[in-house]
Amino acid sequence: MAWYAYCIGEKQAFPELARHRKPVPLEAVHGVSGNQVFLYPASDLAIIVSEHNPAESLNQKSGVDHARVIADCFKHSTVLPFRFGTIFNDDESLRKSIRSNQRQFLGNIDKLRGKTEMHLKILVDDCACGRELTQLPADKVGRGYLTNLRETAARQRERQTRARAVSFQMHRLFMPLDEEVSCRLTETGKMVLDIAHLIDRKYVERYQNKFTTTSAMMHDCQMQVSGPWPPYHFVHRLTRGAHIPAQPTSTEIVTTVATSTPQPVAAMV
């Protein structure tokens, strides 16, 4: 039987597993393709899975279901999300993968216990807006071409400086335990900063209150907040650089920026 894998949790967080060595249904939780979700015991870990028919294709709704199951489990336990689409061909491949990576999984759960991820999306007017440059072909080397290169580089430095300044300001205001920041330029001439903050779960309300006051102060920015989420980005941080096998295994836990969340999510080991 093939298993579709959602995440890894702590066995002690699920009382249903106290007296069982075989997979136990997670009541009222259904996953990809509407299949019943199971808790698969593996030493001190609980692997959240559902039966899977390899002939069935995964689609956008499958991504939403994947993220929803992880969110449900996150209400009860620290979780390490699997990459969307991770499938184990049988019980043996599942058990073997968990055994070979058990120490890493337990260590990562310990580091992320009691923590959650909040996500900020900040839209900033492009400081270089209104100064679009004429694109000259590379073979037309001359004063105009070199001037264009210098101005393009200067504009890029201005954007980087502005993005760093906003990112630093957010860090100083919110004081997260850890953060992941990315920046991109939109077609409408705005910079978008995607900032993931790792915080203690007990401080979520305080974080949301801080967002309310901060967004009122930042007149030159548009801010959005979402969360609390499972710590997708920071599972990725802990496992970055690890060897990723060609076939999906439990070492493929990721930053799941999952389809069901308002922000981009990706899953990783």
Side-chain angles (χ1 to χ4, degrees):
M1 176 196 305
W3 293 104
Y4 182 95
Y6 300 92
C7 59
I8 296 175
E10 301 173 275
K11 183 178 178 181
Q12 64 182 12
F14 300 96
E16 305 95 313
L17 292 177
R19 295 182 299 276
H20 296 275
R21 294 186 177 181
K22 293 184 177 181
V24 176
L26 191 55
E27 295 299 330
V29 180
H30 294 81
V32 171
S33 301
N35 293 332
Q36 172 66 56
V37 171
F38 289 87
L39 298 167
Y40 196 112
S43 186
D44 294 329
L45 300 171
I47 319 305
I48 289 76
V49 296
S50 62
E51 296 180 2
H52 181 71
N53 180 357
E56 293 182 357
S57 59
L58 302 175
N59 52 32
Q60 185 174 1
K61 183 179 184 304
S62 303
V64 173
D65 293 336
H66 176 92
R68 177 178 45 75
V69 171
I70 295 172
D72 285 344
C73 294
F74 185 55
K75 297 174 184 176
H76 309 286
S77 170
T78 302
V79 296
L80 305 179
F82 279 101
R83 185 188 301 276
F84 171 64
T86 297
I87 298 166
F88 294 94
N89 293 329
D90 50 36
D91 291 71
E92 180 55 30
S93 63
L94 173 57
R95 287 194 295 264
K96 181 178 179 181
S97 184
I98 299 303
R99 280 197 305 268
S100 62
N101 297 283
Q102 183 171 349
R103 180 176 297 181
Q104 180 190 24
F105 295 153
L106 289 171
N108 289 351
I109 284 176
D110 189 55
K111 291 173 183 175
L112 294 173
R113 185 176 290 111
K115 299 176 179 65
T116 190
E117 177 176 318
M118 300 297 291
H119 188 268
L120 293 175
K121 179 175 285 187
I122 305 173
L123 282 78
V124 186
D125 288 332
D126 184 4
C127 54
C129 192
R131 290 191 285 129
E132 295 303 322
L133 304 176
T134 304
Q135 297 299 314
L136 300 177
D139 58 346
K140 301 295 184 183
V141 178
R143 179 176 296 177
Y145 177 71
L146 295 176
T147 300
N148 183 277
L149 286 181
R150 283 195 297 269
E151 292 184 0
T152 299
R155 182 175 60 178
Q156 183 63 20
R157 285 195 298 271
E158 286 182 46
R159 287 173 174 156
Q160 291 173 347
T161 300
R162 182 75 184 281
R164 279 195 296 266
V166 174
S167 175
F168 176 79
Q169 188 173 10
M170 293 303 103
H171 183 88
R172 183 172 55 83
L173 289 169
F174 289 93
M175 294 300 292
L177 300 172
D178 201 353
E179 66 181 5
E180 280 279 322
V181 182
S182 65
C183 180
R184 58 189 170 86
L185 190 65
T186 70
E187 294 179 355
T188 58
K190 288 183 179 290
M191 288 190 301
V192 179
L193 272 71
D194 285 302
I195 304 176
H197 281 160
L198 186 69
I199 66 170
D200 282 320
R201 294 182 78 163
K202 60 185 176 183
Y203 295 140
V204 168
E205 184 176 357
R206 187 170 75 180
Y207 185 99
Q208 292 169 332
N209 291 337
K210 174 63 74 172
F211 168 80
T212 300
T213 57
T214 300
S215 58
M217 292 186 329
M218 303 286 287
H219 301 297
D220 57 342
C221 300
Q222 300 175 42
M223 298 178 61
Q224 300 173 7
V225 66
S226 64
W229 304 111
Y232 291 115
H233 288 85
F234 305 98
V235 172
H236 172 72
R237 171 78 62 85
L238 290 171
T239 57
R240 185 174 294 154
H243 171 65
I244 305 295
Q247 296 299 320
T249 72
S250 61
T251 29
E252 294 172 288
I253 299 186
V254 192
T255 322
T256 303
V257 186
T259 351
S260 68
T261 69
Q263 78 257 29
V265 193
M268 146 142 206
V269 192

